[in-house]
Short mmCIF file of all heavy atoms in Angstrom, two decimals:
data_model
loop_
_atom_site.label_atom_id
_atom_site.label_comp_id
_atom_site.label_asym_id
_atom_site.label_seq_id
_atom_site.Cartn_x
_atom_site.Cartn_y
_atom_site.Cartn_z
N MET A 1 -20.57 127.53 -161.37
CA MET A 1 -20.57 126.51 -160.34
C MET A 1 -19.28 126.53 -159.58
O MET A 1 -19.26 126.38 -158.36
CB MET A 1 -20.78 125.14 -160.91
CG MET A 1 -22.17 125.00 -161.52
SD MET A 1 -23.38 124.97 -160.24
CE MET A 1 -24.54 123.92 -160.87
N GLN A 2 -18.14 126.64 -160.27
CA GLN A 2 -16.82 126.66 -159.59
C GLN A 2 -16.66 127.80 -158.68
O GLN A 2 -16.16 127.71 -157.55
CB GLN A 2 -15.71 126.57 -160.63
CG GLN A 2 -15.59 125.25 -161.30
CD GLN A 2 -14.49 125.26 -162.36
OE1 GLN A 2 -14.06 126.32 -162.85
NE2 GLN A 2 -14.06 124.04 -162.71
N ALA A 3 -17.15 128.98 -159.09
CA ALA A 3 -17.07 130.17 -158.25
C ALA A 3 -17.89 130.01 -156.97
O ALA A 3 -17.53 130.45 -155.92
CB ALA A 3 -17.51 131.39 -159.04
N ILE A 4 -19.07 129.37 -157.15
CA ILE A 4 -19.91 129.12 -155.93
C ILE A 4 -19.17 128.15 -154.99
O ILE A 4 -19.16 128.43 -153.78
CB ILE A 4 -21.26 128.57 -156.34
CG1 ILE A 4 -22.05 129.59 -157.14
CG2 ILE A 4 -22.08 128.05 -155.14
CD1 ILE A 4 -23.25 129.07 -157.87
N GLY A 5 -18.60 127.13 -155.50
CA GLY A 5 -17.83 126.19 -154.65
C GLY A 5 -16.69 126.86 -153.96
O GLY A 5 -16.43 126.67 -152.74
N ALA A 6 -15.95 127.75 -154.65
CA ALA A 6 -14.86 128.47 -154.05
C ALA A 6 -15.34 129.44 -152.96
O ALA A 6 -14.71 129.56 -151.89
CB ALA A 6 -14.07 129.22 -155.15
N ALA A 7 -16.47 130.08 -153.25
CA ALA A 7 -16.98 131.01 -152.23
C ALA A 7 -17.43 130.26 -151.01
O ALA A 7 -17.20 130.70 -149.86
CB ALA A 7 -18.19 131.79 -152.84
N ILE A 8 -18.09 129.12 -151.16
CA ILE A 8 -18.51 128.33 -150.00
C ILE A 8 -17.28 127.84 -149.24
O ILE A 8 -17.30 127.91 -147.98
CB ILE A 8 -19.34 127.12 -150.48
CG1 ILE A 8 -20.72 127.61 -150.97
CG2 ILE A 8 -19.62 126.13 -149.33
CD1 ILE A 8 -21.60 126.57 -151.64
N GLN A 9 -16.28 127.39 -149.92
CA GLN A 9 -15.05 126.93 -149.24
C GLN A 9 -14.47 128.07 -148.42
O GLN A 9 -14.04 127.89 -147.24
CB GLN A 9 -14.03 126.41 -150.22
CG GLN A 9 -12.75 125.93 -149.56
CD GLN A 9 -11.72 125.48 -150.52
OE1 GLN A 9 -11.73 125.83 -151.71
NE2 GLN A 9 -10.80 124.70 -150.04
N ASN A 10 -14.41 129.27 -148.98
CA ASN A 10 -13.87 130.39 -148.22
C ASN A 10 -14.70 130.76 -147.02
O ASN A 10 -14.17 131.08 -145.95
CB ASN A 10 -13.73 131.62 -149.13
CG ASN A 10 -12.52 131.45 -150.10
OD1 ASN A 10 -11.59 130.79 -149.81
ND2 ASN A 10 -12.68 132.06 -151.27
N LEU A 11 -16.04 130.65 -147.09
CA LEU A 11 -16.87 130.86 -145.98
C LEU A 11 -16.60 129.86 -144.88
O LEU A 11 -16.51 130.21 -143.68
CB LEU A 11 -18.32 130.75 -146.40
CG LEU A 11 -18.87 131.92 -147.20
CD1 LEU A 11 -20.27 131.54 -147.78
CD2 LEU A 11 -19.03 133.17 -146.36
N LEU A 12 -16.42 128.58 -145.29
CA LEU A 12 -16.10 127.58 -144.28
C LEU A 12 -14.78 127.80 -143.58
O LEU A 12 -14.63 127.61 -142.39
CB LEU A 12 -16.10 126.16 -144.94
CG LEU A 12 -17.48 125.71 -145.51
CD1 LEU A 12 -17.28 124.41 -146.28
CD2 LEU A 12 -18.56 125.61 -144.52
N LEU A 13 -13.80 128.27 -144.34
CA LEU A 13 -12.43 128.50 -143.77
C LEU A 13 -12.50 129.70 -142.83
O LEU A 13 -11.91 129.67 -141.73
CB LEU A 13 -11.44 128.80 -144.91
CG LEU A 13 -11.05 127.58 -145.75
CD1 LEU A 13 -10.25 128.06 -146.94
CD2 LEU A 13 -10.29 126.58 -144.89
N VAL A 14 -13.22 130.72 -143.13
CA VAL A 14 -13.36 131.89 -142.26
C VAL A 14 -14.14 131.49 -140.96
O VAL A 14 -13.70 131.88 -139.89
CB VAL A 14 -14.05 133.08 -142.99
CG1 VAL A 14 -14.41 134.19 -142.00
CG2 VAL A 14 -13.17 133.62 -144.08
N ALA A 15 -15.18 130.75 -141.17
CA ALA A 15 -15.92 130.29 -139.98
C ALA A 15 -15.03 129.51 -139.06
O ALA A 15 -15.05 129.69 -137.81
CB ALA A 15 -17.16 129.49 -140.40
N HIS A 16 -14.22 128.59 -139.62
CA HIS A 16 -13.30 127.79 -138.80
C HIS A 16 -12.34 128.72 -138.06
O HIS A 16 -12.06 128.48 -136.87
CB HIS A 16 -12.54 126.81 -139.71
CG HIS A 16 -11.51 125.98 -138.94
ND1 HIS A 16 -11.88 124.92 -138.11
CD2 HIS A 16 -10.18 126.09 -138.90
CE1 HIS A 16 -10.79 124.45 -137.56
NE2 HIS A 16 -9.76 125.11 -138.04
N GLU A 17 -11.81 129.72 -138.72
CA GLU A 17 -10.86 130.67 -138.14
C GLU A 17 -11.51 131.39 -136.95
O GLU A 17 -10.84 131.75 -135.99
CB GLU A 17 -10.34 131.64 -139.23
CG GLU A 17 -9.32 132.60 -138.70
CD GLU A 17 -8.03 131.93 -138.29
OE1 GLU A 17 -7.68 130.84 -138.82
OE2 GLU A 17 -7.26 132.53 -137.47
N LEU A 18 -12.84 131.60 -137.06
CA LEU A 18 -13.55 132.28 -135.96
C LEU A 18 -13.99 131.36 -134.84
O LEU A 18 -14.65 131.75 -133.94
CB LEU A 18 -14.77 133.01 -136.58
CG LEU A 18 -14.47 134.14 -137.55
CD1 LEU A 18 -15.77 134.65 -138.19
CD2 LEU A 18 -13.76 135.27 -136.79
N GLY A 19 -13.59 130.12 -134.98
CA GLY A 19 -13.91 129.10 -133.97
C GLY A 19 -15.27 128.47 -134.08
O GLY A 19 -15.78 127.95 -133.15
N LEU A 20 -15.87 128.59 -135.29
CA LEU A 20 -17.22 128.02 -135.50
C LEU A 20 -17.12 126.64 -136.19
O LEU A 20 -16.16 126.42 -136.97
CB LEU A 20 -18.03 128.94 -136.42
CG LEU A 20 -18.31 130.32 -135.82
CD1 LEU A 20 -18.82 131.22 -136.87
CD2 LEU A 20 -19.32 130.18 -134.66
N GLY A 21 -18.02 125.80 -135.89
CA GLY A 21 -18.11 124.52 -136.56
C GLY A 21 -19.02 124.67 -137.79
O GLY A 21 -20.00 125.47 -137.76
N THR A 22 -18.73 123.97 -138.85
CA THR A 22 -19.56 124.08 -140.08
C THR A 22 -19.77 122.73 -140.71
O THR A 22 -19.07 121.77 -140.45
CB THR A 22 -18.86 125.00 -141.11
OG1 THR A 22 -17.60 124.41 -141.49
CG2 THR A 22 -18.63 126.38 -140.61
N CYS A 23 -20.76 122.69 -141.55
CA CYS A 23 -21.01 121.51 -142.39
C CYS A 23 -21.64 121.98 -143.68
O CYS A 23 -22.61 122.68 -143.72
CB CYS A 23 -21.91 120.50 -141.67
SG CYS A 23 -22.17 119.01 -142.64
N TRP A 24 -21.05 121.59 -144.84
CA TRP A 24 -21.56 121.87 -146.15
C TRP A 24 -22.52 120.80 -146.54
O TRP A 24 -22.14 119.62 -146.69
CB TRP A 24 -20.41 121.95 -147.12
CG TRP A 24 -20.72 122.25 -148.54
CD1 TRP A 24 -21.97 122.19 -149.16
CD2 TRP A 24 -19.81 122.65 -149.57
NE1 TRP A 24 -21.84 122.53 -150.48
CE2 TRP A 24 -20.52 122.83 -150.76
CE3 TRP A 24 -18.41 122.85 -149.58
CZ2 TRP A 24 -19.91 123.20 -151.93
CZ3 TRP A 24 -17.83 123.22 -150.73
CH2 TRP A 24 -18.55 123.40 -151.92
N ILE A 25 -23.80 121.11 -146.61
CA ILE A 25 -24.81 120.10 -146.89
C ILE A 25 -25.25 120.27 -148.35
O ILE A 25 -25.87 121.27 -148.72
CB ILE A 25 -26.05 120.29 -145.93
CG1 ILE A 25 -25.61 120.27 -144.49
CG2 ILE A 25 -27.10 119.25 -146.23
CD1 ILE A 25 -26.64 120.73 -143.56
N GLY A 26 -24.85 119.34 -149.20
CA GLY A 26 -25.11 119.44 -150.60
C GLY A 26 -26.31 118.66 -151.11
O GLY A 26 -26.66 118.73 -152.22
N GLU A 27 -26.91 117.92 -150.22
CA GLU A 27 -28.01 117.05 -150.64
C GLU A 27 -29.38 117.74 -150.69
O GLU A 27 -30.41 117.13 -150.62
CB GLU A 27 -28.13 115.89 -149.63
CG GLU A 27 -27.09 114.82 -149.89
CD GLU A 27 -27.31 114.10 -151.17
OE1 GLU A 27 -28.46 113.74 -151.54
OE2 GLU A 27 -26.32 113.85 -151.91
N ILE A 28 -29.34 119.09 -150.81
CA ILE A 28 -30.63 119.81 -150.83
C ILE A 28 -31.36 119.67 -152.17
O ILE A 28 -32.55 120.00 -152.27
CB ILE A 28 -30.42 121.32 -150.56
CG1 ILE A 28 -29.59 122.00 -151.59
CG2 ILE A 28 -29.83 121.46 -149.16
CD1 ILE A 28 -29.74 123.47 -151.60
N LEU A 29 -30.68 119.23 -153.22
CA LEU A 29 -31.29 119.21 -154.52
C LEU A 29 -32.51 118.23 -154.52
O LEU A 29 -33.45 118.44 -155.26
CB LEU A 29 -30.30 118.80 -155.57
CG LEU A 29 -29.10 119.74 -155.79
CD1 LEU A 29 -28.19 119.20 -156.85
CD2 LEU A 29 -29.60 121.10 -156.19
N LYS A 30 -32.43 117.23 -153.70
CA LYS A 30 -33.55 116.27 -153.63
C LYS A 30 -34.76 116.86 -152.92
O LYS A 30 -35.87 116.42 -153.09
CB LYS A 30 -33.12 114.99 -152.91
CG LYS A 30 -32.07 114.22 -153.66
CD LYS A 30 -31.65 112.99 -152.88
CE LYS A 30 -30.55 112.26 -153.57
NZ LYS A 30 -30.04 111.14 -152.79
N LYS A 31 -34.51 117.83 -152.06
CA LYS A 31 -35.58 118.50 -151.27
C LYS A 31 -35.57 119.96 -151.40
O LYS A 31 -35.84 120.74 -150.44
CB LYS A 31 -35.45 118.06 -149.83
CG LYS A 31 -35.59 116.56 -149.59
CD LYS A 31 -35.73 116.27 -148.10
CE LYS A 31 -35.82 114.80 -147.93
NZ LYS A 31 -37.18 114.25 -148.06
N GLU A 32 -35.26 120.46 -152.60
CA GLU A 32 -35.09 121.91 -152.84
C GLU A 32 -36.36 122.72 -152.45
O GLU A 32 -36.21 123.78 -151.81
CB GLU A 32 -34.71 122.19 -154.28
CG GLU A 32 -34.39 123.64 -154.55
CD GLU A 32 -33.85 123.91 -155.93
OE1 GLU A 32 -33.81 123.00 -156.74
OE2 GLU A 32 -33.54 125.09 -156.16
N GLU A 33 -37.51 122.26 -152.81
CA GLU A 33 -38.74 123.01 -152.50
C GLU A 33 -38.97 123.15 -151.04
O GLU A 33 -39.33 124.20 -150.50
CB GLU A 33 -39.93 122.36 -153.19
CG GLU A 33 -39.91 122.49 -154.72
CD GLU A 33 -39.77 123.91 -155.21
OE1 GLU A 33 -40.48 124.81 -154.68
OE2 GLU A 33 -38.94 124.12 -156.07
N GLN A 34 -38.73 122.07 -150.29
CA GLN A 34 -38.89 122.10 -148.81
C GLN A 34 -37.91 123.04 -148.16
O GLN A 34 -38.23 123.76 -147.26
CB GLN A 34 -38.77 120.68 -148.20
CG GLN A 34 -39.87 119.75 -148.58
CD GLN A 34 -39.53 118.87 -149.77
OE1 GLN A 34 -38.79 119.29 -150.67
NE2 GLN A 34 -40.08 117.69 -149.80
N VAL A 35 -36.65 123.00 -148.68
CA VAL A 35 -35.63 123.92 -148.13
C VAL A 35 -35.95 125.35 -148.47
O VAL A 35 -35.86 126.24 -147.60
CB VAL A 35 -34.22 123.50 -148.67
CG1 VAL A 35 -33.16 124.51 -148.17
CG2 VAL A 35 -33.87 122.12 -148.22
N LYS A 36 -36.38 125.60 -149.67
CA LYS A 36 -36.77 126.99 -150.03
C LYS A 36 -37.88 127.49 -149.12
O LYS A 36 -37.85 128.66 -148.67
CB LYS A 36 -37.24 127.07 -151.50
CG LYS A 36 -36.13 127.11 -152.50
CD LYS A 36 -36.68 127.32 -153.87
CE LYS A 36 -35.60 127.49 -154.90
NZ LYS A 36 -36.12 127.70 -156.24
N GLU A 37 -38.91 126.64 -148.84
CA GLU A 37 -39.98 127.07 -147.97
C GLU A 37 -39.44 127.34 -146.56
O GLU A 37 -39.83 128.30 -145.91
CB GLU A 37 -41.02 125.99 -147.95
CG GLU A 37 -42.27 126.35 -147.13
CD GLU A 37 -43.31 125.24 -147.19
OE1 GLU A 37 -43.42 124.54 -148.22
OE2 GLU A 37 -44.02 125.11 -146.19
N LEU A 38 -38.58 126.45 -146.05
CA LEU A 38 -38.04 126.58 -144.77
C LEU A 38 -37.27 127.85 -144.56
O LEU A 38 -37.40 128.55 -143.52
CB LEU A 38 -37.14 125.40 -144.43
CG LEU A 38 -36.53 125.34 -143.07
CD1 LEU A 38 -37.62 125.14 -141.97
CD2 LEU A 38 -35.50 124.20 -142.95
N VAL A 39 -36.45 128.29 -145.57
CA VAL A 39 -35.61 129.46 -145.42
C VAL A 39 -36.28 130.72 -146.02
O VAL A 39 -35.69 131.81 -145.92
CB VAL A 39 -34.22 129.25 -145.99
CG1 VAL A 39 -33.49 128.15 -145.32
CG2 VAL A 39 -34.28 129.03 -147.50
N GLY A 40 -37.43 130.56 -146.61
CA GLY A 40 -38.15 131.69 -147.18
C GLY A 40 -37.58 132.19 -148.49
O GLY A 40 -37.72 133.37 -148.81
N ALA A 41 -36.94 131.28 -149.26
CA ALA A 41 -36.40 131.68 -150.57
C ALA A 41 -37.50 131.67 -151.61
O ALA A 41 -38.40 130.84 -151.64
CB ALA A 41 -35.28 130.68 -150.95
N THR A 42 -37.40 132.63 -152.53
CA THR A 42 -38.39 132.77 -153.58
C THR A 42 -38.02 131.81 -154.75
O THR A 42 -36.91 131.35 -154.82
CB THR A 42 -38.47 134.22 -154.10
OG1 THR A 42 -37.15 134.60 -154.52
CG2 THR A 42 -38.96 135.14 -153.01
N ASP A 43 -38.98 131.53 -155.62
CA ASP A 43 -38.76 130.63 -156.72
C ASP A 43 -37.76 131.09 -157.77
O ASP A 43 -37.26 130.31 -158.55
CB ASP A 43 -40.10 130.31 -157.40
CG ASP A 43 -40.97 129.39 -156.57
OD1 ASP A 43 -40.44 128.64 -155.72
OD2 ASP A 43 -42.20 129.41 -156.75
N ASP A 44 -37.42 132.39 -157.77
CA ASP A 44 -36.45 132.90 -158.74
C ASP A 44 -35.01 132.64 -158.31
O ASP A 44 -34.08 132.86 -159.01
CB ASP A 44 -36.70 134.39 -158.98
CG ASP A 44 -36.50 135.21 -157.75
OD1 ASP A 44 -36.86 134.76 -156.66
OD2 ASP A 44 -36.00 136.39 -157.86
N LEU A 45 -34.82 132.07 -157.09
CA LEU A 45 -33.52 131.72 -156.59
C LEU A 45 -33.27 130.22 -156.76
O LEU A 45 -34.15 129.41 -156.58
CB LEU A 45 -33.36 132.11 -155.10
CG LEU A 45 -33.47 133.56 -154.78
CD1 LEU A 45 -33.47 133.77 -153.28
CD2 LEU A 45 -32.43 134.38 -155.47
N GLU A 46 -32.04 129.92 -157.11
CA GLU A 46 -31.59 128.50 -157.18
C GLU A 46 -30.64 128.22 -156.06
O GLU A 46 -29.59 128.81 -155.95
CB GLU A 46 -30.95 128.21 -158.56
CG GLU A 46 -30.55 126.71 -158.70
CD GLU A 46 -29.91 126.44 -160.06
OE1 GLU A 46 -29.87 127.36 -160.90
OE2 GLU A 46 -29.43 125.35 -160.21
N LEU A 47 -31.05 127.35 -155.17
CA LEU A 47 -30.17 127.03 -154.09
C LEU A 47 -29.11 126.05 -154.52
O LEU A 47 -29.38 125.09 -155.27
CB LEU A 47 -30.98 126.39 -152.91
CG LEU A 47 -32.13 127.28 -152.34
CD1 LEU A 47 -32.87 126.53 -151.25
CD2 LEU A 47 -31.55 128.56 -151.85
N MET A 48 -27.88 126.24 -154.03
CA MET A 48 -26.75 125.38 -154.44
C MET A 48 -26.22 124.53 -153.27
O MET A 48 -25.72 123.46 -153.48
CB MET A 48 -25.63 126.29 -154.95
CG MET A 48 -25.99 127.15 -156.12
SD MET A 48 -26.66 126.28 -157.52
CE MET A 48 -25.23 125.45 -158.12
N ALA A 49 -26.43 125.00 -152.06
CA ALA A 49 -25.91 124.32 -150.89
C ALA A 49 -26.56 124.91 -149.64
O ALA A 49 -27.03 126.04 -149.70
CB ALA A 49 -24.44 124.32 -150.79
N VAL A 50 -26.49 124.18 -148.59
CA VAL A 50 -26.90 124.68 -147.29
C VAL A 50 -25.70 124.54 -146.41
O VAL A 50 -25.00 123.51 -146.39
CB VAL A 50 -28.11 123.89 -146.71
CG1 VAL A 50 -28.38 124.31 -145.29
CG2 VAL A 50 -29.31 124.10 -147.55
N LEU A 51 -25.38 125.58 -145.65
CA LEU A 51 -24.26 125.53 -144.70
C LEU A 51 -24.83 125.63 -143.29
O LEU A 51 -25.56 126.52 -142.96
CB LEU A 51 -23.32 126.72 -144.90
CG LEU A 51 -22.75 126.87 -146.33
CD1 LEU A 51 -21.86 128.14 -146.36
CD2 LEU A 51 -21.94 125.65 -146.72
N SER A 52 -24.48 124.69 -142.49
CA SER A 52 -24.78 124.79 -141.06
C SER A 52 -23.56 125.41 -140.39
O SER A 52 -22.46 125.07 -140.65
CB SER A 52 -25.17 123.42 -140.44
OG SER A 52 -24.00 122.55 -140.50
N VAL A 53 -23.85 126.40 -139.51
CA VAL A 53 -22.75 127.06 -138.81
C VAL A 53 -23.16 127.29 -137.37
O VAL A 53 -24.31 127.64 -137.06
CB VAL A 53 -22.51 128.49 -139.48
CG1 VAL A 53 -21.41 129.22 -138.72
CG2 VAL A 53 -22.23 128.39 -140.98
N GLY A 54 -22.21 126.99 -136.50
CA GLY A 54 -22.52 127.19 -135.07
C GLY A 54 -21.32 126.82 -134.24
O GLY A 54 -20.26 126.46 -134.78
N TYR A 55 -21.47 126.89 -132.94
CA TYR A 55 -20.37 126.55 -132.07
C TYR A 55 -20.44 125.03 -131.75
O TYR A 55 -21.52 124.51 -131.38
CB TYR A 55 -20.51 127.33 -130.73
CG TYR A 55 -20.20 128.77 -130.98
CD1 TYR A 55 -21.20 129.69 -131.09
CD2 TYR A 55 -18.87 129.23 -131.09
CE1 TYR A 55 -20.95 131.01 -131.30
CE2 TYR A 55 -18.61 130.55 -131.32
CZ TYR A 55 -19.61 131.46 -131.42
OH TYR A 55 -19.37 132.76 -131.67
N SER A 56 -19.40 124.38 -131.97
CA SER A 56 -19.28 122.91 -131.79
C SER A 56 -19.30 122.62 -130.29
O SER A 56 -18.78 123.37 -129.49
CB SER A 56 -18.02 122.40 -132.42
OG SER A 56 -17.88 121.01 -132.16
N ASN A 57 -19.88 121.48 -129.95
CA ASN A 57 -19.83 121.06 -128.51
C ASN A 57 -18.60 120.17 -128.26
O ASN A 57 -18.47 119.67 -127.20
CB ASN A 57 -21.14 120.30 -128.14
CG ASN A 57 -21.33 119.05 -128.95
OD1 ASN A 57 -20.56 118.73 -129.82
ND2 ASN A 57 -22.40 118.31 -128.61
N LYS A 58 -17.77 120.02 -129.26
CA LYS A 58 -16.55 119.23 -129.15
C LYS A 58 -15.36 120.15 -129.11
O LYS A 58 -15.33 121.15 -129.85
CB LYS A 58 -16.39 118.24 -130.24
CG LYS A 58 -17.49 117.18 -130.25
CD LYS A 58 -17.24 116.19 -131.38
CE LYS A 58 -18.31 115.14 -131.41
NZ LYS A 58 -18.12 114.19 -132.47
N THR A 59 -14.37 119.87 -128.36
CA THR A 59 -13.12 120.64 -128.38
C THR A 59 -12.15 119.96 -129.37
O THR A 59 -12.10 118.76 -129.48
CB THR A 59 -12.47 120.73 -127.00
OG1 THR A 59 -12.22 119.41 -126.54
CG2 THR A 59 -13.36 121.45 -126.01
N THR A 60 -11.47 120.81 -130.12
CA THR A 60 -10.54 120.29 -131.06
C THR A 60 -9.14 120.51 -130.57
O THR A 60 -8.86 121.48 -129.83
CB THR A 60 -10.72 120.98 -132.45
OG1 THR A 60 -10.57 122.39 -132.28
CG2 THR A 60 -12.09 120.70 -133.00
N THR A 61 -8.25 119.69 -131.01
CA THR A 61 -6.86 119.87 -130.71
C THR A 61 -6.11 120.23 -131.94
O THR A 61 -6.46 119.76 -133.03
CB THR A 61 -6.25 118.59 -130.06
OG1 THR A 61 -6.45 117.56 -131.00
CG2 THR A 61 -6.93 118.24 -128.77
N SER A 62 -5.14 121.08 -131.80
CA SER A 62 -4.41 121.45 -133.01
C SER A 62 -3.46 120.28 -133.41
O SER A 62 -2.97 119.54 -132.55
CB SER A 62 -3.55 122.67 -132.79
OG SER A 62 -2.62 122.45 -131.74
N ARG A 63 -3.29 120.07 -134.67
CA ARG A 63 -2.52 119.01 -135.18
C ARG A 63 -1.24 119.57 -135.83
O ARG A 63 -1.33 120.54 -136.55
CB ARG A 63 -3.26 118.16 -136.16
CG ARG A 63 -4.48 117.50 -135.57
CD ARG A 63 -5.16 116.68 -136.61
NE ARG A 63 -6.41 116.17 -136.08
CZ ARG A 63 -7.27 115.43 -136.73
NH1 ARG A 63 -7.04 115.15 -138.01
NH2 ARG A 63 -8.33 114.99 -136.20
N ARG A 64 -0.12 118.92 -135.63
CA ARG A 64 1.04 119.31 -136.28
C ARG A 64 1.11 118.61 -137.63
O ARG A 64 0.83 117.42 -137.72
CB ARG A 64 2.30 118.91 -135.41
CG ARG A 64 3.60 119.32 -136.02
CD ARG A 64 4.77 118.98 -135.17
NE ARG A 64 5.30 117.65 -135.16
CZ ARG A 64 5.58 116.82 -136.16
NH1 ARG A 64 5.24 117.15 -137.39
NH2 ARG A 64 6.10 115.66 -136.03
N ARG A 65 1.41 119.34 -138.64
CA ARG A 65 1.53 118.75 -140.00
C ARG A 65 2.76 117.85 -140.05
O ARG A 65 3.81 118.24 -139.61
CB ARG A 65 1.57 119.80 -141.08
CG ARG A 65 0.26 120.51 -141.22
CD ARG A 65 0.32 121.45 -142.39
NE ARG A 65 -0.96 122.11 -142.50
CZ ARG A 65 -1.53 122.28 -143.62
NH1 ARG A 65 -1.00 121.88 -144.74
NH2 ARG A 65 -2.72 122.89 -143.64
N ASP A 66 2.59 116.73 -140.64
CA ASP A 66 3.68 115.76 -140.82
C ASP A 66 4.52 116.18 -142.04
O ASP A 66 4.00 116.82 -142.98
CB ASP A 66 3.15 114.37 -141.01
CG ASP A 66 4.13 113.33 -140.48
OD1 ASP A 66 5.34 113.60 -140.32
OD2 ASP A 66 3.69 112.22 -140.21
N ILE A 67 5.75 115.81 -142.06
CA ILE A 67 6.55 116.11 -143.23
C ILE A 67 6.14 115.23 -144.41
O ILE A 67 5.66 114.09 -144.21
CB ILE A 67 8.04 115.99 -142.93
CG1 ILE A 67 8.39 114.57 -142.46
CG2 ILE A 67 8.50 117.02 -141.89
CD1 ILE A 67 9.86 114.36 -142.30
N LEU A 68 6.36 115.70 -145.58
CA LEU A 68 5.95 115.01 -146.83
C LEU A 68 6.47 113.57 -146.92
O LEU A 68 5.72 112.68 -147.29
CB LEU A 68 6.37 115.81 -148.08
CG LEU A 68 5.94 115.25 -149.39
CD1 LEU A 68 4.40 115.21 -149.48
CD2 LEU A 68 6.53 116.06 -150.55
N GLU A 69 7.66 113.35 -146.48
CA GLU A 69 8.25 112.02 -146.62
C GLU A 69 7.52 110.99 -145.77
O GLU A 69 7.52 109.80 -146.06
CB GLU A 69 9.77 112.04 -146.21
CG GLU A 69 10.63 112.70 -147.23
CD GLU A 69 10.56 114.22 -147.20
OE1 GLU A 69 10.05 114.79 -146.20
OE2 GLU A 69 10.96 114.86 -148.17
N ASN A 70 6.86 111.39 -144.72
CA ASN A 70 6.14 110.48 -143.86
C ASN A 70 4.73 110.21 -144.40
O ASN A 70 4.02 109.31 -143.97
CB ASN A 70 5.99 111.04 -142.46
CG ASN A 70 7.32 111.03 -141.73
OD1 ASN A 70 8.27 110.37 -142.14
ND2 ASN A 70 7.39 111.76 -140.66
N ILE A 71 4.26 111.01 -145.41
CA ILE A 71 2.95 110.84 -145.95
C ILE A 71 2.90 110.13 -147.23
O ILE A 71 2.08 109.26 -147.48
CB ILE A 71 2.27 112.29 -146.13
CG1 ILE A 71 2.22 113.02 -144.79
CG2 ILE A 71 0.89 112.15 -146.77
CD1 ILE A 71 1.82 114.44 -144.92
N VAL A 72 3.88 110.40 -148.12
CA VAL A 72 3.91 109.86 -149.45
C VAL A 72 4.93 108.76 -149.57
O VAL A 72 6.08 108.90 -149.09
CB VAL A 72 4.23 111.01 -150.47
CG1 VAL A 72 4.31 110.43 -151.88
CG2 VAL A 72 3.20 112.09 -150.40
N SER A 73 4.55 107.65 -150.17
CA SER A 73 5.50 106.61 -150.46
C SER A 73 5.98 106.77 -151.90
O SER A 73 5.19 106.87 -152.82
CB SER A 73 4.80 105.23 -150.28
OG SER A 73 4.35 105.05 -148.99
N TRP A 74 7.21 106.83 -152.05
CA TRP A 74 7.81 107.00 -153.36
C TRP A 74 8.14 105.62 -153.92
O TRP A 74 8.73 104.74 -153.25
CB TRP A 74 9.03 107.84 -153.36
CG TRP A 74 8.78 109.21 -152.80
CD1 TRP A 74 9.04 109.68 -151.57
CD2 TRP A 74 8.17 110.28 -153.51
NE1 TRP A 74 8.62 110.98 -151.45
CE2 TRP A 74 8.05 111.35 -152.62
CE3 TRP A 74 7.63 110.45 -154.78
CZ2 TRP A 74 7.47 112.58 -152.95
CZ3 TRP A 74 7.02 111.62 -155.12
CH2 TRP A 74 6.98 112.71 -154.18
N PHE A 75 7.77 105.35 -155.12
CA PHE A 75 7.97 104.07 -155.76
C PHE A 75 9.23 104.10 -156.65
O PHE A 75 9.63 105.02 -157.19
CB PHE A 75 6.80 103.64 -156.62
CG PHE A 75 5.55 103.47 -155.78
CD1 PHE A 75 4.63 104.50 -155.65
CD2 PHE A 75 5.39 102.25 -155.08
CE1 PHE A 75 3.49 104.28 -154.88
CE2 PHE A 75 4.23 102.09 -154.32
CZ PHE A 75 3.30 103.11 -154.21
#
């Protein structure tokens, strides 16, 4: 399971680098049979997540990372 999560995260990062918008949809377990039918997956496969990938209709702006002292309050 952890390897699958890591692989999905890497796919999302690469897609972002290519300028694609993504969404990790994990709620497929409730509708696994319908999703399998929709994507043509056979019963011997277990679906773990659905990823939507495409070009976003929103433009993003790059953000400058703040320094740690402005983010974390030290007690």
Side-chain angles (χ1 to χ4, degrees):
M1 293 291 211
Q2 289 178 340
I4 293 167
I8 290 171
Q9 180 183 21
N10 286 331
L11 287 169
L12 297 175
L13 289 171
V14 169
H16 177 75
E17 183 66 26
L18 294 172
L20 296 167
T22 62
C23 183
W24 180 345
I25 306 168
E27 283 293 317
I28 65 161
L29 297 179
K30 294 178 183 175
K31 298 192 181 275
E32 184 174 5
E33 292 305 315
Q34 292 95 328
V35 174
K36 280 184 175 182
E37 184 178 328
L38 181 67
V39 299
T42 57
D43 286 336
D44 61 325
L45 297 175
E46 182 179 353
L47 301 180
M48 303 303 291
V50 172
L51 304 178
S52 63
V53 180
Y55 292 100
S56 175
N57 63 356
K58 296 181 181 180
T59 57
T60 59
T61 58
S62 61
R63 297 180 185 178
R64 182 177 80 46
R65 290 186 180 224
D66 211 339
I67 59 173
L68 182 62
E69 288 78 15
N70 291 344
I71 300 170
V72 178
S73 297
W74 300 102
F75 296 96

